[in-house]
Amino acid sequence: MTAKIISGTEMAATIRAEIKAEVEILKANTGRMPGLATVLVGGRKDSQSYVRMKKKACAEVGMASFGHDLPENISQEELLRIIQDLNENPEVHGILVQLPIPAHLNEEEILAAVGLEKDIDGFHPINIGRLSMKRREPLFVPCTPKGCIEMLDRTGVQIEGKRAVVLGRSNIVGLPVAMLLLHRNATLTICHSRTQNLPQVVREADILIVAVGRAEMVRGDWVKPGAVVIDVGTNAVDDPTTEKGYRWVGDVAFNEVKEIASAITPVPGGVGPMTIAMLLRNTLDGAKRSS
Amino acid sequence: MTAKIISGTEMAATIRAEIKAEVEILKANTGRMPGLATVLVGGRKDSQSYVRMKKKACAEVGMASFGHDLPENISQEELLRIIQDLNENPEVHGILVQLPIPAHLNEEEILAAVGLEKDIDGFHPINIGRLSMKRREPLFVPCTPKGCIEMLDRTGVQIEGKRAVVLGRSNIVGLPVAMLLLHRNATLTICHSRTQNLPQVVREADILIVAVGRAEMVRGDWVKPGAVVIDVGTNAVDDPTTEKGYRWVGDVAFNEVKEIASAITPVPGGVGPMTIAMLLRNTLDGAKRSS
């Protein structure tokens, strides 16, 4: 049996249409236009491309976006001053610092400088603390983890009581998505590079979320028949048969696993578009809350 | 084969002796005496008893303690003012708000009001956020979770690569101890009241930490032979054969599990004394840091 393919592209289009309608109502009722500020430091091509996609997505749903394109060698003080200005700017409802930032900058201090009520990436230490704790609500949930849960919900996957395995424990995806699954009453396992008998542990999952950044690492025989698989990875692999010489693959060997799982997200067109849709959702929520 | 009994009583005595020696050196070198402020709200007998034990432990290692014994109906504003005073008091290096506090008070706001550098319980949202994230160091690690890890370390239990199962997900014990195990490279599973096939999941553990508050819930056949078991529970059960009419038991059926596990903590005399020793350790660390 072949798995249902969970199309992030289609789901995100639906969500963007929902958001666009809400933006119009907000504008009509309050005159307020939601605004996203992006902060990009240095010349990483992938980061530039992500920021470009995010600004384009803003425009499509009727939101404003403000871009700061900063030199690689910017000082901590200058960057903090720019974030402070954005905190005080009433037209900005969300501030996104594109990660990673250059190593000479103090990432934790930068992320903690973003005003809590504009922290649409949810990376402020207080938001992460609240996300980790029971009965504490963060103002914003980080976009990729939020997108993963949204995909499960919109596919009708029950989370409560299921065994959820998260492969990877990054601050940006693995840890927060694990906390979200736990708060939704999954029995949670987190595994990683030091896990022994990894395929066996992964095979316990009713719901498997993979975010390690290793091309097609999870094979067909790692997956329990009928599991739901969310693949967060996006890896470029050489492919001379394509025009560009490479193609994108996930952390999951899609063609093998789709024969075993009951549902699976593709790469590209899975989690990626959902991350951007959740960023728009968070920015809109920020704009609604401000008054 | 009978398990090794991990005596928290003995281990904590060793740690208190270490701390006492360090307190004397600190006093000799700087004239500074570490000081713990306890904040107790209302008349719960168990909380009163815990606070009394903590103050007694301070005295035994040469630390000062300052007690605030506050009425049940204190207002949020008054309590915040007291904490602010303690934040500003240079003789206080650690502030402990005994939980639970009455329901009319906003616990999160109270805990967030404790100065980060005096948050010896480690419950400030920023400390919890840092505890949850990779490569972020909280100023203080919560005492009971820290005591659990210390017991594993001082028993020579390897954590890296092992399967650790935490039963319970409270903000005070389950969640933070889970994060500590993960950062020590265990493969981590968190289970709870909604977990299906609970005995089977618990049986996966090489290291099992139980913190649910249900007397003798974990039975012998829930435990993998050779596992290491840390029992955080302290439950009073009726026992007419005792003078007081009750006795203390853990969340683990000790007599059954000690025949299966390779090592186990008793109740009482296990995690409890370690929690207090870690509180002293955190207060001393706070005093050393202040200058």
Side-chain angles (χ1 to χ4, degrees):
Chain A
M1 215 193 72
T2 299
K4 170 184 168 62
I5 310 301
I6 306 174
S7 169
T9 306
E10 282 174 28
M11 212 176 264
T14 305
I15 294 169
R16 285 199 308 271
E18 293 165 6
I19 290 171
K20 187 174 185 177
E22 289 183 50
V23 167
E24 277 163 20
I25 293 170
L26 184 72
K27 278 187 206 165
N29 289 349
T30 68
R32 201 183 309 143
M33 179 191 278
L36 172 71
T38 59
V39 177
L40 175 64
V41 183
R44 283 179 65 120
K45 292 268 174 271
D46 56 347
S47 293
Q48 287 173 339
S49 155
Y50 291 140
V51 166
R52 210 161 38 231
M53 286 193 289
K54 289 166 183 176
K55 294 174 80 164
K56 182 160 164 276
C58 279
E60 282 169 6
V61 298
M63 290 186 185
S65 67
F66 311 86
H68 283 263
D69 214 336
L70 304 168
E72 180 83 23
N73 64 354
I74 190 171
S75 72
Q76 181 82 0
E77 291 64 40
E78 284 172 283
L79 184 51
L80 286 173
R81 198 155 46 235
I82 286 165
I83 290 172
Q84 200 48 49
D85 287 346
L86 294 172
N87 282 339
E88 288 164 15
N89 183 341
E91 290 179 35
V92 171
H93 304 103
I95 302 171
L96 177 151
V97 180
Q98 184 67 41
L99 300 178
I101 55 177
H104 72 277
L105 298 167
N106 178 339
E107 179 186 295
E108 182 177 6
E109 192 188 19
I110 298 291
L111 296 179
V114 173
L116 265 186
E117 71 291 350
K118 299 190 179 184
D119 177 36
I120 37 103
D121 257 340
F123 293 153
H124 190 291
I126 287 193
N127 272 327
I128 292 281
R130 287 186 183 157
L131 182 76
S132 306
M133 297 172 90
K134 276 204 297 186
R135 296 183 298 276
R136 301 268 171 90
E137 289 295 325
L139 280 168
F140 299 101
V141 172
C143 302
T144 301
K146 184 172 177 163
C148 294
I149 302 294
E150 189 81 24
M151 291 182 101
L152 294 173
D153 284 343
R154 290 188 182 235
T155 309
V157 176
Q158 192 200 323
I159 300 174
E160 173 156 336
K162 299 296 182 198
R163 293 209 67 167
V165 174
V166 176
L167 177 48
R169 51 178 167 168
S170 71
N171 288 339
I172 292 177
V173 183
L175 272 176
V177 84
M179 292 299 112
L180 294 173
L181 289 163
L182 181 64
H183 298 329
R184 291 286 295 273
N185 294 323
T187 298
L188 170 71
T189 297
I190 305 177
C191 45
H192 44 77
S193 56
R194 311 296 177 86
T195 293
Q196 293 169 3
N197 307 317
L198 184 58
Q200 181 188 321
V201 178
V202 168
R203 213 150 37 222
E204 292 167 2
D206 301 308
I207 297 168
L208 174 63
I209 304 207
V210 187
V212 282
R214 288 184 55 185
E216 301 183 319
M217 179 186 182
V218 174
R219 314 306 309 191
D221 62 357
W222 293 33
V223 174
K224 184 203 273 190
V228 176
V229 179
I230 307 283
D231 185 355
V232 182
T234 312
N235 312 284
V237 293
D238 291 339
D239 184 348
T241 72
T242 66
E243 198 180 321
K244 291 184 287 192
Y246 67 89
R247 62 190 165 86
W248 295 107
V249 300
D251 293 344
V252 174
F254 183 81
N255 284 328
E256 290 178 19
V257 172
K258 81 171 173 12
E259 302 302 323
I260 312 291
S262 66
I264 184 171
T265 63
V267 176
V271 173
M274 288 298 286
T275 295
I276 295 184
M278 294 302 108
L279 181 72
L280 298 175
R281 163 57 62 195
N282 279 353
T283 304
L284 173 59
D285 288 350
K288 285 182 173 175
R289 242 183 246 140
S290 80
S291 53
Chain B
M1 216 195 71
T2 299
K4 170 186 167 62
I5 311 300
I6 306 174
S7 169
T9 306
E10 282 174 29
M11 212 177 263
T14 305
I15 295 170
R16 285 199 308 270
E18 293 165 5
I19 291 172
K20 188 173 183 177
E22 288 183 49
V23 168
E24 277 163 21
I25 294 170
L26 184 72
K27 279 186 205 167
N29 290 348
T30 68
R32 201 184 309 143
M33 181 192 279
L36 171 71
T38 60
V39 177
L40 174 65
V41 183
R44 282 180 66 121
K45 291 268 174 273
D46 56 346
S47 293
Q48 287 174 338
S49 154
Y50 291 140
V51 166
R52 211 163 34 231
M53 284 194 290
K54 290 166 183 176
K55 295 172 79 165
K56 181 160 165 278
C58 279
E60 283 169 6
V61 298
M63 291 186 185
S65 67
F66 311 87
H68 283 264
D69 214 338
L70 304 168
E72 180 83 24
N73 64 354
I74 190 171
S75 72
Q76 181 81 2
E77 292 63 40
E78 285 172 282
L79 184 50
L80 287 172
R81 198 154 45 233
I82 286 164
I83 289 172
Q84 200 47 52
D85 287 348
L86 294 172
N87 282 339
E88 288 164 13
N89 184 340
E91 289 179 34
V92 171
H93 305 103
I95 300 170
L96 177 152
V97 180
Q98 184 67 41
L99 299 179
I101 56 177
H104 72 277
L105 298 167
N106 178 338
E107 179 186 295
E108 183 177 5
E109 191 187 20
I110 299 290
L111 296 179
V114 173
L116 265 186
E117 72 290 350
K118 298 189 180 185
D119 177 38
I120 38 105
D121 257 340
F123 293 153
H124 190 292
I126 287 191
N127 271 328
I128 292 283
R130 287 185 184 158
L131 182 75
S132 305
M133 298 172 89
K134 276 203 299 185
R135 294 182 299 275
R136 300 268 170 91
E137 289 295 324
L139 279 168
F140 298 100
V141 172
C143 302
T144 301
K146 184 173 177 164
C148 293
I149 302 294
E150 188 81 25
M151 291 181 102
L152 294 174
D153 284 343
R154 288 189 183 235
T155 309
V157 175
Q158 190 200 324
I159 300 174
E160 174 157 336
K162 298 297 180 197
R163 292 209 66 167
V165 175
V166 176
L167 177 49
R169 50 179 168 169
S170 70
N171 288 338
I172 293 178
V173 183
L175 272 175
V177 83
M179 291 299 112
L180 294 173
L181 289 163
L182 181 63
H183 297 328
R184 290 286 294 273
N185 294 323
T187 297
L188 170 71
T189 296
I190 306 178
C191 45
H192 45 76
S193 55
R194 312 296 177 85
T195 293
Q196 293 169 4
N197 308 316
L198 183 58
Q200 182 188 320
V201 178
V202 168
R203 216 154 30 226
E204 292 166 3
D206 301 308
I207 297 168
L208 174 63
I209 303 205
V210 187
V212 283
R214 288 184 54 185
E216 300 183 319
M217 178 184 182
V218 174
R219 313 306 310 190
D221 62 358
W222 294 31
V223 174
K224 184 203 271 190
V228 176
V229 180
I230 307 283
D231 185 355
V232 182
T234 311
N235 312 283
V237 295
D238 290 339
D239 184 348
T241 70
T242 65
E243 198 181 320
K244 291 183 286 191
Y246 67 89
R247 62 191 163 84
W248 295 107
V249 300
D251 294 344
V252 173
F254 183 82
N255 284 326
E256 291 179 18
V257 173
K258 79 173 177 5
E259 302 303 323
I260 313 292
S262 66
I264 184 171
T265 63
V267 176
V271 174
M274 288 297 287
T275 295
I276 295 184
M278 294 301 109
L279 181 73
L280 298 174
R281 163 57 62 195
N282 279 353
T283 305
L284 174 59
D285 288 350
K288 284 182 174 175
R289 243 183 244 139
S290 81
S291 52

